[in-house]
Amino acid sequence: MTVVGPFGLSVRDQALEADVQAGLTAVEEGLLEATKSEVPFITEAAQHLVRAGGKRFRPLLVMLAAQFGDPYAPGVVPSAVVVELTHLATLYHDDVMDEAAVRRGVPSANTRWGNSVAVLTGDFLFARASHILADLGPEAVRVQAEAFERLVTGQILETAGPQDGRDPVDHYLDVLGGKTGSLVAVSCRFGAMMSGADESTVHVLTQYGERLGVAFQLADDVLDIASDSHESGKTPGTDLREGIATLPVLRLREQAARGGRAEDLALCELLESDLSDDDRHARALAALRAHPALEQARRDTVRYAEEARAALAPLPECDAKRALQELCDAVVHRAG
């Protein structure tokens, strides 16, 4: 048994391992090439997060989905570069919006160079992704455009908040479907499409990716509360400090509204206070870590991961399918 990637994904077939590793190596080379500029400063800024590493979760999904067709088809690696460039671009923008100081264990681009450079570098990466897409054909351009629209819509809906009468948890899960699920779904879709897999297989893998993407983000929500910066690569409780209500907070509010317990209401009040104060932020983080709402968020993560696993049922049994199933387990493991 061998291991692929930081998820500890075990691959039992040597040929599959070789294909995935070769594909990810080619993607890494493609990312460095795509982020080069004639202006050295732009190259430095654009490669800042590429060189910081990362899970390469989306390229891995492209490589595994491509196993259901021809994994050596010429569009597979470029499409993986596209989805990772798009993901990286959103990280530059997210860190500006969140005023994050750390990303992937290194100073965020906005901390190092300021907000303007970080935003423009994200735009540069979007432009490079579009350039690669143009060579993959109009269908690939359309698929990416639709996913990007969903991604941005999800971000806007998160900023705007739920409409009156809308359940905040349902609203949040819809937000995650756009912000995260859309691009993870496209990763699986591109891998299947570019490899020439049939339409039913493309559909199955797209549905799998959508659910896995939501589970992946929910696991990040749990990590933001439960982990230290060494585990997550970014400052714990960043969303709390910025007043962003992720699923653990929403589950807390739900329990407080339903039960009306004094300690729940007090914690809600603390979370709604100014958490820029380090002591108050530390107390809020510690209290939420000990609250049953965090465990409820973990159960939600497991539910979406199991839905992703169930979506794979129509696919034939093979090592690639088993690897995709193991990714569901890995996402759940990240959430503890």
Side-chain angles (χ1 to χ4, degrees):
M1 183 181 297
T2 53
V3 172
V4 173
F7 280 101
L9 176 65
S10 58
V11 176
R12 296 168 177 81
D13 180 80
Q14 290 185 349
L16 174 59
E17 181 203 0
D19 284 348
V20 171
Q21 293 286 17
L24 292 176
T25 298
V27 168
E28 211 63 30
E29 294 169 356
L31 288 171
L32 291 173
E33 185 62 31
T35 48
K36 286 180 182 176
S37 168
E38 294 179 357
V39 181
F41 175 68
I42 295 176
T43 301
E44 181 184 8
Q47 292 186 351
H48 179 62
L49 289 184
V50 174
R51 294 188 180 279
K55 294 174 285 291
R56 302 295 188 252
F57 181 48
R58 292 154 189 82
L60 174 61
L61 287 171
V62 174
M63 297 304 136
L64 290 173
Q67 293 293 320
F68 294 90
D70 176 9
Y72 311 111
V76 172
V77 169
S79 70
V81 174
V82 165
V83 294
E84 188 66 9
L85 284 175
T86 304
H87 172 58
L88 289 170
T90 66
L91 297 185
Y92 281 84
H93 289 176
D94 283 351
D95 285 347
V96 170
M97 295 179 66
D98 298 340
E99 300 179 5
V102 178
R103 169 70 69 174
R104 294 182 173 175
V106 300
S108 60
N110 47 295
T111 298
R112 185 167 177 181
W113 294 294
N115 286 347
S116 294
V117 168
V119 170
L120 291 170
T121 302
D123 293 343
F124 175 80
L125 296 181
F126 283 132
R128 287 298 174 88
S130 298
H131 183 78
I132 296 170
L133 269 171
D135 292 331
L136 296 179
E139 177 67 8
V141 173
R142 184 186 65 79
V143 167
Q144 173 76 354
E146 290 175 353
F148 190 50
E149 179 183 348
R150 287 189 60 206
L151 192 157
V152 174
T153 299
Q155 184 67 68
I156 293 171
L157 288 175
E158 180 181 58
T159 303
Q163 294 181 341
D164 291 342
R166 180 83 196 280
D167 179 78
V169 171
D170 288 344
H171 169 82
Y172 183 65
L173 292 173
D174 282 348
V175 165
L176 296 193
K179 278 186 59 179
T180 306
S182 60
L183 193 57
V184 176
V186 163
S187 301
C188 295
R189 186 171 181 176
F190 272 166
M193 276 178 55
M194 296 300 164
S195 71
D198 61 73
E199 280 300 315
S200 63
T201 298
V202 172
H203 176 75
V204 165
L205 288 166
T206 302
Q207 295 304 307
Y208 162 84
E210 179 86 19
R211 288 159 176 79
L212 188 70
V214 174
F216 183 78
Q217 185 56 55
L218 292 179
D220 265 7
D221 286 358
V222 172
L223 275 174
D224 184 59
I225 302 300
S227 73
D228 58 30
S229 58
H230 175 73
E231 290 176 277
S232 63
K234 55 186 178 182
T235 305
T238 296
D239 292 329
L240 284 185
R241 195 182 292 276
E242 296 303 315
I244 299 171
T246 57
L247 193 62
V249 173
L250 294 175
R251 288 302 189 192
L252 166 67
R253 291 176 180 172
E254 185 179 63
Q255 292 180 29
R258 184 171 59 243
R261 294 195 314 160
E263 54 266 41
D264 292 349
L265 295 171
L267 180 52
C268 286
E269 185 176 347
L270 176 60
L271 292 175
E272 290 165 8
S273 67
D274 181 9
L275 295 182
S276 62
D277 176 79
D278 288 342
D279 179 66
R280 193 179 292 120
H281 178 264
R283 286 192 290 115
L285 191 58
L288 193 53
R289 282 171 174 169
H291 196 277
L294 184 61
E295 183 56 37
Q296 176 62 56
R298 284 192 175 102
R299 290 196 295 270
D300 292 323
T301 304
V302 172
R303 175 167 58 88
Y304 270 91
E306 288 304 314
E307 288 179 3
R309 178 193 294 275
L312 294 171
L315 297 181
E317 295 301 322
C318 61
D319 283 298
K321 180 178 179 179
R322 283 185 285 273
L324 292 172
Q325 291 169 333
E326 287 190 20
L327 277 177
C328 298
D329 298 332
V331 167
V332 171
H333 178 72
R334 293 179 71 237

